[in-house]
Amino acid sequence: MTTRAWRSTAFAGAATIVALVALAGCAGTASVQAGPTTTTAPSATTTPDPTSGATTAHDASSASSPAAASGSGGTSSGTGTLRSSRCAATDLQGSLTAAAGGGSAGHQAYDIVFRNTGSSSCTLQGWPGVSFVGKGNGTQLGAPAVLDRSSAHGTVTIAAGSVAHATVLVAEAGNYGDCGAVTADGFRVYPPGSKRSLFVDAGQLQLSACTATSADQLQVQAVQPGS
């Protein structure tokens, strides 16, 4: 074998060895172990509120919570949801009568009568808000009634169809000089604890009301049973 032929054979062998080593290295790194799968917790999404056009956030992770399932807003108890038995203004009808005894010198007493027109018993406790109204449109006349806090003020239960009352003491307008007196149409009455009022018509009773707010012409007692 000539020197040139020997070198060619040697180079070819070396190239073969390098190629085999490279293939072995690739085979050693071809297998890759899969890592643990990562999951993402549900996030808050927004949906339009059809009643207001606003956007409200809803957390998908809270959909199965007890409060969400019961619709109680987290205020439920083991015995069920409790509700107040206080009389709603919409279940009361008001009327006005002259009180027994008729008041005192310079004053006249009237009973504001609350009739429960609802289908179940309800309760009233405390003092109603009372003021004169007139001008045929419910305009308040003068100052609202002062509360007689010396009067008994226990909780009064009114059965369906039954009544309770609160006595209002009306001072004569003449006691206050020129107080802008006019004839009132009746009273605006807020049952205790209510933000809704009743109109109680004076009927045939002639109520002379001061329009000056400086005259404390009315004083009202707490609600009592019966009429």
Side-chain angles (χ1 to χ4, degrees), residues 85-87 114 122-128 148-158 163-166 191-193 221-226:
S85 62
R86 186 177 63 199
C87 298
F114 299 98
C122 62
T123 62
L124 291 176
Q125 190 274 325
W127 298 260
D148 178 4
R149 296 193 178 276
S150 66
S151 59
H153 51 277
T155 299
V156 177
T157 299
I158 313 174
V163 298
H165 74 279
Q221 298 178 359
V223 175
Q224 305 298 322

Side-chain angles (χ1 to χ4, degrees), residues 4 15 18 37 48 59 98 141 144 154 167 178 206 215 217:
R4 180 176 296 175
V18 170
T37 301
D59 188 346
L141 306 174
T167 299
D178 185 9
Q206 295 296 306
Q217 191 182 359

Side-chain angles (χ1 to χ4, degrees), residues 58-86:
H58 300 279
D59 188 346
S61 64
S62 66
S64 62
S65 67
S70 66
S72 63
T75 59
S76 61
S77 67
T79 57
T81 303
L82 298 178
R83 67 178 182 86
S84 172
S85 62
R86 186 177 63 199

